[in-house]
Amino acid sequence: MPHQDTPLVLERLLRLRDRREPLVAQIAEWVGSGIIEGRLQPGQDLNSVELSNRFETSRTPVREALMLLEQEGLVEMKARRRPRVASPSLQDIRDIYQVRRQLLAMLAGLLVERATEDELTELRGRVESMRDLADKEDVDAYFWSHVQLQERMTEIVGNTTLKQILDSLALRTLMLRHLSLTRTGRLAYSVDDQERLIQAYEERDGELASALIAGATVRALRAVEEQLEQDTARTRPPGRAKRGRTS
């Protein structure tokens, strides 16, 4: 089942309130959250008949929902082939994180300049709640809390252009961000990063905050790379030679 915060995030990013057909929004939310939280794996087929049966509808709303997710990079739909969960290449993933690192560094610097003391207190409270979730090893709850934290940061900064660019990457990165947190020990590392960031914000050290959030983004990418490498090794036929890792 999707986490309770999932509908709020997907509703905004997919603009589901604008959909005239509620069933399209419901299907898009179910499939989208399944992809992001790893219940639907990259490359996995999405059977329109099975989805139609699940939601007790015709295939038309299903196709509309999948087309909506295709526009956001979560689903691949090719002629004469069944729709499937998108499977970005390693280079695509690295490119996304390279851009995201720069955008988040800018966000952190602006937050130091623009956040009020009350807003920083609010952000600290959110991070303290995330520490509790990390201690409980609740990956899904921690992940969505982290998503909400960064969304709140963009609201505080108030740079509409920056927010729009981050939103354009958001759905393509959510699956990867969730994947990075499934690595052993990653929750603890992640929340440590958030606590160091909050301290830098409170000390009004924009240069440090930008460096910290950039470093955290690089570590998240490494976790994704390691997980993908592990998944590839698990599915590699026995006896097949392992290729060297690209830089």
Side-chain angles (χ1 to χ4, degrees):
M1 293 294 292
H3 188 268
Q4 61 183 2
D5 288 333
T6 309
L8 298 175
V9 176
L10 291 183
E11 181 181 271
R12 186 181 71 78
L13 293 175
L14 290 172
R15 299 172 293 280
L16 296 182
R17 288 186 179 181
D18 298 336
R19 307 298 304 183
R20 294 182 180 180
E21 176 57 67
L23 204 50
V24 172
Q26 186 180 352
I27 296 168
E29 179 189 307
W30 187 87
V31 175
S33 64
I35 293 171
I36 290 167
E37 295 179 353
R39 294 186 299 279
L40 299 172
Q41 295 293 312
Q44 181 177 336
D45 285 343
L46 297 169
N47 191 313
S48 298
V49 174
E50 291 180 0
L51 288 170
S52 298
N53 292 336
R54 171 181 284 274
F55 291 95
E56 300 179 347
T57 184
S58 69
R59 294 173 66 179
T60 300
V62 171
R63 182 167 181 80
E64 289 184 19
L66 295 181
M67 289 176 65
L68 179 61
L69 294 171
E70 181 190 30
Q71 293 170 9
E72 300 297 336
L74 292 182
V75 169
E76 295 176 356
M77 299 178 69
K78 297 182 179 179
R80 297 182 296 278
R81 292 186 62 180
R82 183 175 289 174
R84 64 180 186 177
V85 178
S87 183
S89 69
L90 183 55
Q91 188 56 54
D92 288 339
I93 293 170
R94 287 171 174 163
D95 289 346
I96 288 171
Y97 270 86
Q98 183 179 43
V99 174
R100 182 172 169 78
R101 183 180 73 239
Q102 299 298 327
L103 294 174
L104 290 179
M106 182 184 298
L107 178 68
L110 289 172
L111 185 76
V112 166
E113 295 176 7
R114 301 182 181 182
T116 66
E117 293 302 318
D118 286 344
E119 287 168 338
L120 291 179
T121 298
E122 176 198 341
L123 294 181
R124 175 166 285 282
R126 287 174 180 264
V127 171
E128 288 173 353
S129 297
M130 289 167 62
R131 168 64 71 181
D132 292 338
L133 296 173
D135 290 344
K136 295 174 183 176
E137 298 186 353
D138 190 336
V139 174
D140 287 347
Y142 178 90
F143 165 73
W144 288 111
S145 294
H146 192 191
V147 172
Q148 296 277 16
L149 173 69
Q150 289 194 347
E151 290 217 337
R152 180 61 181 134
M153 288 167 58
T154 61
E155 292 173 358
I156 291 171
V157 165
N159 185 313
T160 303
T161 300
L162 178 58
K163 182 174 177 58
Q164 288 174 344
I165 298 172
L166 282 168
D167 280 353
S168 72
L169 290 173
L171 286 169
R172 298 169 193 269
T173 59
L174 288 179
M175 175 181 67
L176 301 171
R177 290 168 65 186
H178 187 279
L179 178 64
S180 75
L181 291 172
T182 62
R183 297 285 296 170
T184 302
R186 271 294 298 159
L187 285 180
Y189 282 120
S190 177
V191 77
D192 285 348
D193 284 337
Q194 301 313 310
E195 289 179 343
R196 284 191 288 267
L197 271 166
I198 284 294
Q199 184 173 348
Y201 299 148
E202 291 172 340
E203 294 174 355
R204 302 293 179 176
D205 191 334
E207 185 175 345
L208 176 60
S210 295
L212 286 172
I213 204 166
T217 306
V218 170
R219 284 189 289 278
L221 171 59
R222 288 175 182 161
V224 171
E225 291 175 330
E226 290 167 0
Q227 187 61 48
L228 292 176
E229 187 176 86
Q230 179 178 310
D231 292 343
T232 299
R234 187 183 301 119
T235 58
R236 185 183 296 117
R240 183 172 177 178
K242 179 180 176 181
R243 295 182 178 181
R245 183 174 174 181
T246 60
S247 60

